[in-house]
Amino acid sequence: MADTAPHLLLIDDDADILRLLTIRLTAAGYRVTTADSGQAALNRLDIERPALVVSDVRLPDRDGLALFDEIRARHPALPVILLTAHGTIPDAVEATSRGAFAYLTKPFDGRMLLDKIAQALALTAPSPAETPRGEEWREGLISRSQRMAELLAEAKLVAVTDASILIRGESGSGKEVLARAIHRASPRAGAPFIAVNCGAIPEQLLESELFGHVKGAFTGAVANHRGLFQAANGGTLFLDEIGDMPLALQVKLLRVLQERAVRPVGAAEAVAIDVRILSATHRDLDAAMAEHQFREDLYYRLNVVTLALPTLTERREDIPLLANHFLATVSEKYGRRVNGFAPDALEALSTAPWPGNVRQLYNVVEQVCALSTAPLVPLALVQRALRAPGIEVLSLAEARQRFERDYLVKLLKLTGGNVADAARLAERNRTEFYRLLQKHGLTPELFRADEPPVADGRQE
């Protein structure tokens, strides 16, 4: 099935009904995922948001309407069709008043269900008018997180101006991808976009690369050379890792920005330029200025607008989208038939720490695709790829243990070591709370700033 096929989530504890509906809906061109309980459905929703949910009202672990409320709380715009073998008019009224798209009674006509699904998708899918050509500017920026949506809205707003933009973000978070997107959304989109990493080129070469040189300017200058400023004329120059630029070059860059002209090395006259400057750094420029490693006047020239890219762990809801997108790209590149990730493999990706951000995720996906021998990437391959140096992958028990201890520490800090108050906040009795503290080796007295601990745990 094509990756562009609408994804449906079916929820029913009757295996025969799930099988029958899966066959019908797959034949109708949909991509289908199933769940046999409310909790299993919520787990699926944590991994990937479908285009529509079809759910039975009676489930083994919860009422279908209660599950519907949970789904709506997580995804308010997600359409849900409810099925029941015991439908009544009051039930139908209740379901539709809560926001269910449709309420069908079993046995239902298969064509009616297909029609309802098509209607729901037509109402919720973006129309051509809502996805104008202008949205192509954000190609490569795959996201459904609210934080990224706000960032992209700001980026598009400032893209149409000529304001200099400083993009902040950790290594691997996608600063150049965002810079290219801003260029595509700007009036300069038809002109060149040129990127240079200021920290990757030696100082002696960087000056020539940026500003150019004339023949004979130095040993080895056998011909005139246009610098990157002149090459980007009319377009955008992206100065990546601007925080690593040597101080001597910072002075020359400031002069270029002030005069809107560049003088090649060895030249007597300057050449006028029309270039929009985007820059990026993972360094703390405020600290660099305080240490006199970065010029304050240059900082304010470059930092007219700041855009801060979140880390991958701050947008975990994007991990399944990015992982599947990268997998499709890499599998095509390698000529592999790898269609997706097993649910537990995708969950492992979604919960792992990502110190290398999006770049690291791409590398992990590339590795598992290269080693996969099955249509679905298994958990074992993902775990193997995540065991690279510097990456910590916790078991569920270890993660729960760590969370529980951190939670207890926060409570004790908040209450100043008062066990009764901490137990009340945790909604546990004191005996059980003391047992938890003992389990994690935590001593309440250590959190009392005004009362030093004594040997037997009691105050003198």
Side-chain angles (χ1 to χ4, degrees), residues 137-144 148 151-152 155 173-182 184 309 315 318 322 325:
W137 72 278
R138 53 171 291 178
E139 179 186 355
L141 290 162
I142 299 166
S143 176
R144 61 185 173 197
M148 281 295 290
L151 173 69
L152 292 174
S173 57
K175 297 187 289 295
E176 184 173 340
V177 177
L178 179 59
R180 290 183 181 276
I182 292 170
R184 287 194 295 268
L309 269 168
R315 43 182 290 217
D318 290 339
L322 289 165
H325 172 73

Side-chain angles (χ1 to χ4, degrees), residues 2 4 18 43 65 69 84 89 103 147 149 161 198 203 215 225 237 317 333 362 377 404 407 426 439:
T4 55
L18 281 182
N43 293 343
L65 284 176
D69 289 338
T84 181
I89 292 178
Y103 186 88
R147 187 161 177 180
T161 73
C198 299
E203 180 176 352
K215 181 179 178 181
H225 170 68
L237 180 62
E317 61 268 48
K333 171 184 173 183
Y362 181 88
V377 175
E404 190 172 83
Y407 175 72
K439 170 185 173 184

Side-chain angles (χ1 to χ4, degrees), residues 6 30 51-52 79 101 114-128 130:
Y30 298 110
L52 179 140
F101 183 81
L114 289 173
D115 288 345
K116 291 293 183 184
I117 291 173
Q119 291 170 17
L121 294 178
L123 288 174
T124 56
S127 67
E130 294 171 327

Side-chain angles (χ1 to χ4, degrees), residues 285-362:
L285 292 187
D286 295 308
M289 285 190 295
E291 296 169 3
H292 304 291
Q293 294 178 354
F294 198 86
R295 293 184 62 93
E296 186 175 355
D297 44 8
L298 176 60
Y299 173 80
Y300 290 115
R301 280 279 180 178
L302 297 173
N303 187 28
V304 176
V305 177
T306 298
L307 297 176
L309 269 168
T311 64
L312 187 57
T313 55
E314 291 172 328
R315 43 182 290 217
R316 286 191 181 275
E317 61 268 48
D318 290 339
I319 293 176
L321 285 177
L322 289 165
N324 282 306
H325 172 73
F326 293 155
L327 186 65
T329 301
V330 174
S331 59
E332 182 178 358
K333 171 184 173 183
Y334 291 154
R336 294 294 184 90
R337 292 186 177 180
V338 185
N339 302 323
F341 294 86
D344 52 359
L346 199 56
E347 184 175 0
L349 289 174
S350 299
T351 56
W354 293 102
N357 294 293
V358 178
R359 184 187 297 127
Q360 181 191 354
L361 175 61
Y362 181 88

Side-chain angles (χ1 to χ4, degrees), residues 57-134:
V57 169
R58 294 198 174 182
L59 297 168
D61 58 343
R62 70 192 71 201
D63 174 72
L65 284 176
L67 173 63
F68 169 71
D69 289 338
E70 291 184 71
I71 293 173
R72 294 287 286 184
R74 296 186 185 198
H75 304 287
L78 180 60
V80 178
I81 295 175
L82 296 174
L83 308 177
T84 181
H86 310 280
T88 64
I89 292 178
D91 289 339
V93 171
E94 172 71 9
T96 52
S97 67
R98 292 195 190 186
F101 183 81
Y103 186 88
L104 302 180
T105 303
K106 300 176 183 178
F108 51 84
D109 178 72
R111 174 49 56 186
M112 179 180 293
L113 176 61
L114 289 173
D115 288 345
K116 291 293 183 184
I117 291 173
Q119 291 170 17
L121 294 178
L123 288 174
T124 56
S127 67
E130 294 171 327
T131 53
R133 181 188 175 106

